[in-house]
Amino acid sequence: MSVLRGLAIFLGLVAAWQALVTLTGVDDFILPGPLAVAKALAAHWDLLAENAGVTILEILLGLALGTLLGVSSALLIAAFRPARDWLLPVLVVSQAVPVFALAPILVLWLGYGLASKVAMATLIIYFPVTAAFYDGLKRTEPGWLDLARTMGGGRLAVLRVIRIPAALPALASGLRVATAVAPIGAVVGEWVGSSAGLGYLMLQANARLQIDLMFAALFVLAVFAVLLYFAVDRSLRLALPWLAEET
Amino acid sequence: MTTAAPIDVRLHAARLSYRGAVIFDDLDLELPAGRTTCLLGPSGVGKTSLLRLIAGLAENHGGKDGKDSGSPGAAVDRDGRTVQGRVAYMAQQDLLLPWASVLGNVLLGPRLRGEDRDPEVDGKARSLIEQVGLKGRETDLPVRLSGGMRQRVALARTLVEDRPIVLMDEPFSALDAITRFALQELAARLLAERTVLLVTHDPLEALRLGHRIIVMAGSPARLETALDVDEDVDGDAGGPAKLPPPPRDPGHAGVLARQADLLKRLARARQKLVDLA
């Protein structure tokens, strides 16, 4: 049912797009119609696939790395008081620096290759993951902690048995946000400096007035981003079955 | 069932204040071994605070950097040892972990102490689940259980700890009357021979389950013994029918006669709190 609805929304948007192009008679190099984009998609399929592979790899590596770092930071801050006192202010202040402004520096330091884009995606998802998970770890139901105290559980045992599982729904929210923003990090990185990837392809196509190819690249990116989001969302639901049945 | 001999708990000169207000001061409480003591009182009088103090869960209030000027007093046993580590605690909410199965919840204490791989512990947990009438539901998540079933799991979790002292804070108050009735019966049977302190606001519950009933009233709160089957303390001077051992039938003449008396006592205690406020 939801697949059908998704398809209907997609077709509706395409129809609106085509209607806009037909009714306004806008030039092809400003806004190509869906048919032109589909043609470009077919004509440049190899090129698109090759560059999409690069961008997808950047996004997935960034997600993995950012999640790993975010989860470990949150655990460290939650488990050790000195870590909280020293690390938390740094973390909060670091958010005052716009991540996009760091992109040129990352390219300068890490080069035009994969590393600078992975770093960009990692940076952009690190904070939402850390903040969401730490928040979850902090808000353990006090009754559970009382119970654990009368049962004589050590601090790390309480963290493992009660606080971490209790924080998983919060972590899942953080991961959903991370999944939605990770492509932004990778593409911004590619715009600043790169030799491959969908962002790179869009810049090149734009410079050569191949607007249909630019839209085709955008389309591929959007499809992947949506598929990735649903895949992550679905896996999180499967991983936390007790949440679905609550409420 | 119990391995350790039941101990007599003594709380001497206990003191607790919260944000400058003295909840109780110089309070003495004794829990006779193997007896169920019910603590009755109007809400807000400090019953839960007293229970938490005995459980070792009370925070120190008022003093700077966590140190209170007057020690709140700790519960000790006959030999003067602190009872911490020998109490099991059951709250009004079932406090079940929503991600853990019935068995997982019953095994929470052993898991926290790293003893859950012991087959003997596992067997004990399964037998307790059977005793509270949930055999066959071991792998169910709490969300699949009714309120009464959830509180049964909490009871099994309390009992698997096998502590000589059991502290219960209105454990049945969130349940409907019929479920509550069945659970009181079950708890009284499974907790026989343990030293129990049951906080309740329900005089009928206290009269069904208690060997002793203590009324907590006033601010700072004082304790008054309203019933003690061993010491022949009896609230109603009119001499109502003698009480059988708990769990008692709610229709028993002695229970009914004392219920009215206890209710009046509680109403007076609440009026005193209102007047003070």
Side-chain angles (χ1 to χ4, degrees):
Chain A
M1 206 62 216
S2 66
V3 175
L4 278 180
R5 191 183 303 135
L7 201 65
I9 292 172
F10 176 74
L11 291 177
L13 284 175
V14 169
W17 178 9
Q18 184 61 61
L20 187 74
V21 170
T22 315
L23 289 176
T24 59
V26 63
D27 283 320
D28 247 12
F29 58 85
I30 300 291
L31 177 64
L35 200 66
V37 172
K39 271 186 197 155
L41 200 64
H44 302 284
W45 181 247
D46 289 347
L47 184 68
L48 283 165
E50 193 188 321
N51 285 288
V54 173
T55 303
I56 289 171
L57 186 63
E58 288 162 3
I59 293 173
L60 293 180
L61 283 177
L63 259 182
L65 209 59
T67 303
L68 197 70
L69 285 175
V71 166
S72 5
S73 302
L75 279 176
L76 198 69
I77 298 171
F80 302 106
R81 207 176 167 80
R84 172 160 61 237
D85 294 346
W86 290 96
L87 218 60
L88 203 56
V90 176
L91 205 69
V92 171
V93 169
S94 77
Q95 283 311 293
V97 182
V99 187
F100 297 143
L102 292 176
I105 303 171
L106 288 176
V107 172
L108 177 72
W109 288 347
L110 300 172
Y112 278 67
L114 203 64
S116 57
K117 285 76 192 174
V118 173
M120 191 69 202
T122 303
L123 268 183
I124 206 170
I125 71 164
Y126 171 73
F127 192 72
V129 172
T130 309
F133 193 33
Y134 174 60
D135 207 45
L137 288 169
K138 213 170 46 175
R139 285 170 203 270
T140 315
E141 153 77 47
W144 292 341
L145 298 179
D146 284 347
L147 200 58
R149 254 167 86 188
T150 63
M151 288 170 169
R155 252 163 46 85
L156 287 181
V158 173
L159 190 69
R160 181 173 54 84
V161 177
I162 298 177
R163 292 178 67 197
I164 291 177
L168 288 182
L171 175 61
S173 312
L175 285 179
R176 286 192 184 95
V177 174
T179 310
V181 298
I184 303 176
V187 169
V188 167
E190 286 174 0
W191 281 349
V192 172
S194 61
S195 48
L198 287 173
Y200 167 79
L201 191 63
M202 285 166 81
L203 277 191
Q204 296 299 315
N206 192 28
R208 291 177 198 158
L209 281 182
Q210 291 174 302
I211 306 303
D212 51 351
L213 178 59
M214 197 177 131
F215 270 84
L218 187 61
F219 178 77
V220 172
L221 185 66
V223 167
F224 173 71
V226 169
L227 288 180
L228 179 66
Y229 184 84
F230 281 115
V232 167
D233 186 57
R234 184 104 187 100
S235 334
L236 289 173
R237 274 174 214 280
L238 286 177
L240 303 171
W242 51 276
L243 267 190
E245 292 191 46
E246 248 186 10
T247 68
Chain B
M1 189 72 226
T2 40
T3 46
I7 33 174
D8 199 354
V9 182
R10 257 190 207 102
L11 188 69
H12 179 60
R15 173 192 160 76
L16 194 72
S17 59
Y18 182 68
R19 293 192 179 149
V22 178
I23 297 172
F24 47 77
D25 194 2
D26 200 22
L27 199 74
D28 292 335
L29 175 67
E30 288 189 357
L31 302 181
R35 295 302 203 189
T36 297
T37 303
C38 292
L39 186 61
L40 268 172
S43 13
V45 78
K47 302 186 297 284
T48 295
S49 303
L50 181 57
L51 185 99
R52 291 175 61 86
L53 182 71
I54 299 171
L57 292 173
E59 312 292 341
N60 286 342
H61 295 293
K64 280 177 190 160
D65 45 76
K67 284 176 193 131
D68 207 288
S69 44
S71 158
V76 294
D77 66 11
R78 257 196 296 255
D79 309 320
R81 292 177 304 172
T82 160
V83 297
Q84 255 183 58
R86 273 171 301 154
V87 295
Y89 170 66
M90 188 171 169
Q92 182 178 352
Q93 310 86 25
D94 50 65
L95 295 176
L96 298 186
L97 304 176
W99 59 85
S101 66
V102 166
L103 182 64
N105 269 292
V106 172
L107 283 171
L108 176 63
R111 269 196 81 191
L112 283 169
R113 295 186 298 271
E115 300 162 359
D116 56 319
R117 299 201 186 273
D118 188 343
E120 201 180 308
V121 173
D122 187 81
K124 190 166 90 180
R126 286 175 190 278
S127 123
L128 278 167
I129 291 171
E130 189 176 347
Q131 287 180 56
V132 298
L134 289 174
K135 192 174 169 58
R137 308 295 297 263
E138 286 86 350
T139 57
D140 279 9
L141 289 177
V143 73
R144 302 247 161 161
L145 307 178
S146 69
M149 288 169 159
R150 293 172 62 109
Q151 205 53 286
R152 281 164 197 260
V153 177
L155 183 63
R157 181 187 59 198
T158 311
L159 291 167
V160 88
E161 294 298 288
D162 211 2
R163 306 276 174 93
I165 305 157
V166 178
L167 306 172
M168 305 172 104
D169 190 0
E170 302 192 8
F172 314 123
S173 62
L175 304 172
D176 64 85
I178 303 159
T179 313
R180 191 187 313 151
F181 184 78
L183 260 174
Q184 286 167 345
E185 205 83 41
L186 181 70
R189 196 155 44 79
L190 294 175
L191 289 167
E193 289 167 38
R194 299 203 198 202
T195 305
V196 178
L197 178 62
L198 174 74
V199 165
T200 175
H201 55 231
D202 178 3
L204 180 60
E205 181 166 286
L207 282 164
R208 288 199 65 209
L209 300 178
H211 297 93
R212 290 170 78 223
I213 296 176
I214 292 173
V215 174
M216 191 171 186
S219 173
R222 312 297 314 162
L223 299 179
E224 258 178 76
T225 305
L227 174 84
D228 191 332
V229 292
D230 302 314
E231 303 283 332
D232 262 352
V233 176
D234 205 320
D236 199 338
K242 207 145 176 64
L243 286 172
R248 305 182 183 103
D249 190 288
H252 187 273
V255 169
L256 288 175
R258 286 170 181 86
Q259 196 185 355
D261 177 55
L262 264 180
L263 261 172
K264 279 181 217 147
R265 235 172 143 141
L266 282 172
R268 275 202 304 276
R270 189 170 72 180
Q271 195 54 46
K272 250 194 269 178
L273 265 191
V274 172
D275 291 345
L276 278 164

